Amino acid sequence: MTPTLTDDQISQLYRYVANQGVSYYDVQVELVDHIATEIERQIEQNPEELTEHIFDKILTKFRYYDFEGLENRKKQVQRQYRRFFWRSFTSFLLYPK
């Protein structure tokens, strides 16, 4: 039987992701899904280990690797959209060829 997380544990993961500075809901859902999958996999592999210990271990792992580049990626996407907007705007204002 595959272990599943409770609603309370899922809510805890959403709070954790929001506290890490992820404000977009769709990104939060994806991150919580990845974290929950990893926690469930660890619980299945080590059923004798405490769930709280697995939670702490996995959240520590995600803290160091997954949240570092989110702010840089956000800035890159904003620059890309700004560039696209100005290209579209200037091509609209230019005389037709």
Side-chain angles (χ1 to χ4, degrees):
M1 185 173 155
T2 306
T4 57
L5 298 177
T6 64
D7 291 337
D8 208 23
Q9 291 170 328
I10 297 293
S11 297
Q12 180 184 358
L13 290 176
Y14 274 108
R15 283 191 305 273
Y16 172 76
V17 170
N19 289 339
Q20 292 297 319
V22 180
S23 57
Y24 300 108
Y25 181 73
D26 53 342
V27 177
Q28 286 179 355
V29 170
E30 289 296 321
L31 287 172
V32 167
D33 180 51
H34 288 297
I35 294 171
T37 303
E38 184 64 28
I39 289 172
E40 289 172 349
R41 186 178 309 129
Q42 289 294 323
I43 291 172
E44 187 175 349
Q45 290 176 356
N46 304 318
E48 67 280 345
E49 194 170 0
L50 291 175
T51 305
E52 291 80 20
H53 180 67
I54 292 175
F55 249 80
D56 292 339
K57 184 171 65 173
I58 298 299
L59 291 181
T60 303
K61 179 177 129 183
F62 272 91
R63 181 179 304 129
Y64 292 122
Y65 297 112
D66 290 338
F67 297 111
E68 290 177 349
L70 283 178
E71 191 62 34
N72 290 336
R73 181 66 179 143
K74 180 180 173 183
K75 289 178 184 177
Q76 288 175 348
V77 169
Q78 287 173 340
R79 279 194 305 264
Q80 186 177 10
Y81 280 129
R82 244 190 329 269
R83 194 175 314 125
F84 175 73
F85 170 78
W86 285 112
R87 283 183 188 164
S88 299
F89 184 71
T90 54
S91 70
F92 175 76
L93 293 177
L94 291 177
Y95 191 74
K97 295 180 182 179

Tab-separated table of all heavy atoms in Angstrom, residues 3 7 16 18-19 25-26 30 32 45 48 51-52 62 66 70 77-79 82 85 87 91 93 95:
chain	number	residue	atom	x	y	z
A	3	PRO	N	1.957	4.891	0.834
A	3	PRO	CA	1.644	5.854	1.898
A	3	PRO	C	1.172	7.179	1.303
A	3	PRO	O	1.630	7.603	0.243
A	3	PRO	CB	2.971	6.026	2.626
A	3	PRO	CG	3.999	5.660	1.627
A	3	PRO	CD	3.374	4.622	0.727
A	7	ASP	N	-4.216	15.716	5.007
A	7	ASP	CA	-4.515	17.100	4.601
A	7	ASP	C	-3.734	18.097	5.436
A	7	ASP	O	-3.307	19.143	4.945
A	7	ASP	CB	-6.010	17.382	4.725
A	7	ASP	CG	-6.836	16.622	3.693
A	7	ASP	OD1	-6.260	16.242	2.648
A	7	ASP	OD2	-8.038	16.429	3.935
A	16	TYR	N	4.973	26.036	4.098
A	16	TYR	CA	6.436	26.039	3.959
A	16	TYR	C	6.853	26.687	2.637
A	16	TYR	O	7.737	27.540	2.601
A	16	TYR	CB	6.971	24.603	4.042
A	16	TYR	CG	8.430	24.502	3.718
A	16	TYR	CD1	9.399	24.888	4.629
A	16	TYR	CD2	8.848	24.034	2.476
A	16	TYR	CE1	10.737	24.814	4.322
A	16	TYR	CE2	10.183	23.956	2.159
A	16	TYR	CZ	11.127	24.338	3.084
A	16	TYR	OH	12.450	24.274	2.773
A	18	ALA	N	5.117	28.732	0.742
A	18	ALA	CA	4.774	30.152	0.750
A	18	ALA	C	5.776	30.947	1.586
A	18	ALA	O	6.150	32.062	1.216
A	18	ALA	CB	3.367	30.352	1.301
A	19	ASN	N	6.249	30.391	2.675
A	19	ASN	CA	7.237	31.072	3.519
A	19	ASN	C	8.601	31.173	2.845
A	19	ASN	O	9.417	32.005	3.233
A	19	ASN	CB	7.386	30.369	4.866
A	19	ASN	CG	6.182	30.570	5.749
A	19	ASN	OD1	5.408	31.499	5.559
A	19	ASN	ND2	6.000	29.677	6.710
A	25	TYR	N	0.525	30.707	-7.163
A	25	TYR	CA	-0.162	29.489	-6.741
A	25	TYR	C	0.212	28.282	-7.594
A	25	TYR	O	0.419	27.198	-7.069
A	25	TYR	CB	-1.678	29.710	-6.777
A	25	TYR	CG	-2.450	28.497	-6.325
A	25	TYR	CD1	-2.474	28.134	-4.985
A	25	TYR	CD2	-3.131	27.704	-7.242
A	25	TYR	CE1	-3.161	27.012	-4.568
A	25	TYR	CE2	-3.816	26.585	-6.831
A	25	TYR	CZ	-3.841	26.243	-5.495
A	25	TYR	OH	-4.511	25.127	-5.088
A	26	ASP	N	0.298	28.457	-8.902
A	26	ASP	CA	0.618	27.320	-9.768
A	26	ASP	C	2.012	26.777	-9.485
A	26	ASP	O	2.240	25.560	-9.529
A	26	ASP	CB	0.447	27.667	-11.241
A	26	ASP	CG	1.197	28.911	-11.650
A	26	ASP	OD1	1.575	29.701	-10.765
A	26	ASP	OD2	1.415	29.095	-12.864
A	30	GLU	N	3.002	22.915	-7.913
A	30	GLU	CA	4.028	22.038	-8.484
A	30	GLU	C	5.096	21.665	-7.448
A	30	GLU	O	5.508	20.512	-7.354
A	30	GLU	CB	4.680	22.699	-9.696
A	30	GLU	CG	3.786	22.769	-10.903
A	30	GLU	CD	3.419	21.399	-11.440
A	30	GLU	OE1	4.283	20.497	-11.453
A	30	GLU	OE2	2.261	21.235	-11.842
A	32	VAL	N	4.825	21.709	-4.125
A	32	VAL	CA	4.246	20.848	-3.092
A	32	VAL	C	4.097	19.430	-3.622
A	32	VAL	O	4.360	18.460	-2.906
A	32	VAL	CB	2.898	21.419	-2.593
A	32	VAL	CG1	2.139	20.397	-1.773
A	32	VAL	CG2	3.129	22.675	-1.780
A	45	GLN	N	10.126	3.640	1.397
A	45	GLN	CA	11.416	2.960	1.474
A	45	GLN	C	11.847	2.697	2.911
A	45	GLN	O	12.507	1.703	3.187
A	45	GLN	CB	12.485	3.772	0.757
A	45	GLN	CG	12.320	3.800	-0.733
A	45	GLN	CD	13.331	4.692	-1.413
A	45	GLN	OE1	14.130	5.366	-0.758
A	45	GLN	NE2	13.310	4.722	-2.736
A	48	GLU	N	10.041	2.288	8.958
A	48	GLU	CA	10.326	2.336	10.392
A	48	GLU	C	10.768	3.719	10.869
A	48	GLU	O	10.726	4.024	12.046
A	48	GLU	CB	11.401	1.311	10.771
A	48	GLU	CG	12.785	1.578	10.211
A	48	GLU	CD	12.977	1.168	8.761
A	48	GLU	OE1	12.140	0.419	8.227
A	48	GLU	OE2	13.973	1.600	8.174
A	51	THR	N	7.828	9.845	10.530
A	51	THR	CA	7.381	10.726	9.456
A	51	THR	C	7.906	12.142	9.653
A	51	THR	O	8.298	12.801	8.690
A	51	THR	CB	5.842	10.737	9.388
A	51	THR	OG1	5.377	9.385	9.261
A	51	THR	CG2	5.351	11.534	8.214
A	52	GLU	N	7.951	12.617	10.887
A	52	GLU	CA	8.447	13.968	11.161
A	52	GLU	C	9.918	14.098	10.778
A	52	GLU	O	10.349	15.129	10.264
A	52	GLU	CB	8.259	14.328	12.640
A	52	GLU	CG	6.827	14.521	13.058
A	52	GLU	CD	6.109	13.197	13.315
A	52	GLU	OE1	6.798	12.176	13.532
A	52	GLU	OE2	4.882	13.190	13.286
A	62	PHE	N	15.199	20.343	0.051
A	62	PHE	CA	14.582	21.261	-0.902
A	62	PHE	C	14.949	22.702	-0.605
A	62	PHE	O	15.025	23.519	-1.501
A	62	PHE	CB	13.064	21.095	-0.909
A	62	PHE	CG	12.597	20.042	-1.865
A	62	PHE	CD1	12.450	18.725	-1.452
A	62	PHE	CD2	12.326	20.355	-3.176
A	62	PHE	CE1	12.035	17.749	-2.332
A	62	PHE	CE2	11.906	19.395	-4.064
A	62	PHE	CZ	11.765	18.076	-3.646
A	66	ASP	N	16.238	23.899	-4.307
A	66	ASP	CA	15.181	24.313	-5.223
A	66	ASP	C	14.777	25.772	-5.129
A	66	ASP	O	14.226	26.308	-6.069
A	66	ASP	CB	13.951	23.436	-5.019
A	66	ASP	CG	14.168	22.025	-5.507
A	66	ASP	OD1	15.056	21.815	-6.343
A	66	ASP	OD2	13.458	21.145	-5.056
A	70	LEU	N	14.886	30.684	-7.810
A	70	LEU	CA	13.560	31.168	-8.198
A	70	LEU	C	13.542	32.668	-8.459
A	70	LEU	O	12.927	33.132	-9.421
A	70	LEU	CB	12.531	30.822	-7.122
A	70	LEU	CG	12.067	29.380	-7.091
A	70	LEU	CD1	11.087	29.172	-5.954
A	70	LEU	CD2	11.447	28.976	-8.398
A	77	VAL	N	12.505	36.030	-16.611
A	77	VAL	CA	11.220	35.985	-17.312
A	77	VAL	C	10.652	37.386	-17.466
A	77	VAL	O	10.103	37.731	-18.515
A	77	VAL	CB	10.244	35.045	-16.566
A	77	VAL	CG1	8.827	35.166	-17.106
A	77	VAL	CG2	10.720	33.605	-16.660
A	78	GLN	N	10.794	38.234	-16.439
A	78	GLN	CA	10.313	39.601	-16.540
A	78	GLN	C	11.044	40.376	-17.636
A	78	GLN	O	10.426	41.120	-18.400
A	78	GLN	CB	10.458	40.328	-15.200
A	78	GLN	CG	9.464	39.867	-14.158
A	78	GLN	CD	9.727	40.465	-12.793
A	78	GLN	OE1	10.827	40.923	-12.501
A	78	GLN	NE2	8.718	40.442	-11.941
A	79	ARG	N	12.364	40.200	-17.730
A	79	ARG	CA	13.132	40.856	-18.795
A	79	ARG	C	12.681	40.370	-20.164
A	79	ARG	O	12.541	41.159	-21.104
A	79	ARG	CB	14.624	40.587	-18.608
A	79	ARG	CG	15.298	41.474	-17.602
A	79	ARG	CD	16.798	41.396	-17.697
A	79	ARG	NE	17.323	40.052	-17.582
A	79	ARG	CZ	17.777	39.492	-16.456
A	79	ARG	NH1	17.783	40.176	-15.344
A	79	ARG	NH2	18.239	38.270	-16.447
A	82	ARG	N	9.308	41.934	-20.986
A	82	ARG	CA	9.484	43.359	-21.298
A	82	ARG	C	10.027	43.533	-22.707
A	82	ARG	O	9.557	44.374	-23.478
A	82	ARG	CB	10.437	43.997	-20.284
A	82	ARG	CG	9.806	45.055	-19.432
A	82	ARG	CD	10.782	45.842	-18.605
A	82	ARG	NE	11.983	45.189	-18.156
A	82	ARG	CZ	12.116	44.542	-16.995
A	82	ARG	NH1	11.113	44.460	-16.162
A	82	ARG	NH2	13.260	43.991	-16.660
A	85	PHE	N	7.304	42.759	-25.179
A	85	PHE	CA	6.319	43.837	-25.214
A	85	PHE	C	6.822	44.999	-26.057
A	85	PHE	O	6.102	45.512	-26.919
A	85	PHE	CB	6.001	44.317	-23.793
A	85	PHE	CG	5.180	45.570	-23.766
A	85	PHE	CD1	3.821	45.522	-24.001
A	85	PHE	CD2	5.781	46.801	-23.534
A	85	PHE	CE1	3.060	46.674	-23.994
A	85	PHE	CE2	5.028	47.963	-23.526
A	85	PHE	CZ	3.662	47.901	-23.756
A	87	ARG	N	9.149	45.103	-28.372
A	87	ARG	CA	9.261	44.749	-29.795
A	87	ARG	C	7.893	44.791	-30.461
A	87	ARG	O	7.748	45.296	-31.583
A	87	ARG	CB	9.871	43.358	-29.952
A	87	ARG	CG	11.343	43.318	-29.759
A	87	ARG	CD	11.878	41.931	-29.999
A	87	ARG	NE	13.274	41.856	-29.639
A	87	ARG	CZ	13.925	40.729	-29.454
A	87	ARG	NH1	13.307	39.568	-29.581
A	87	ARG	NH2	15.193	40.745	-29.125
A	91	SER	N	6.796	47.542	-33.332
A	91	SER	CA	6.365	47.056	-34.648
A	91	SER	C	4.948	47.512	-34.954
A	91	SER	O	4.601	47.716	-36.116
A	91	SER	CB	6.465	45.533	-34.710
A	91	SER	OG	5.502	44.941	-33.890
A	93	LEU	N	3.731	50.460	-34.058
A	93	LEU	CA	3.791	51.888	-34.366
A	93	LEU	C	4.530	52.209	-35.657
A	93	LEU	O	4.379	53.285	-36.209
A	93	LEU	CB	4.452	52.660	-33.219
A	93	LEU	CG	3.647	52.689	-31.923
A	93	LEU	CD1	4.443	53.410	-30.851
A	93	LEU	CD2	2.304	53.329	-32.107
A	95	TYR	N	5.612	52.263	-39.593
A	95	TYR	CA	4.874	52.298	-40.836
A	95	TYR	C	4.956	50.918	-41.501
A	95	TYR	O	6.006	50.290	-41.497
A	95	TYR	CB	5.466	53.385	-41.729
A	95	TYR	CG	4.639	53.700	-42.932
A	95	TYR	CD1	3.457	54.437	-42.801
A	95	TYR	CD2	5.009	53.261	-44.183
A	95	TYR	CE1	2.685	54.716	-43.899
A	95	TYR	CE2	4.248	53.537	-45.291
A	95	TYR	CZ	3.072	54.259	-45.143
A	95	TYR	OH	2.304	54.542	-46.232
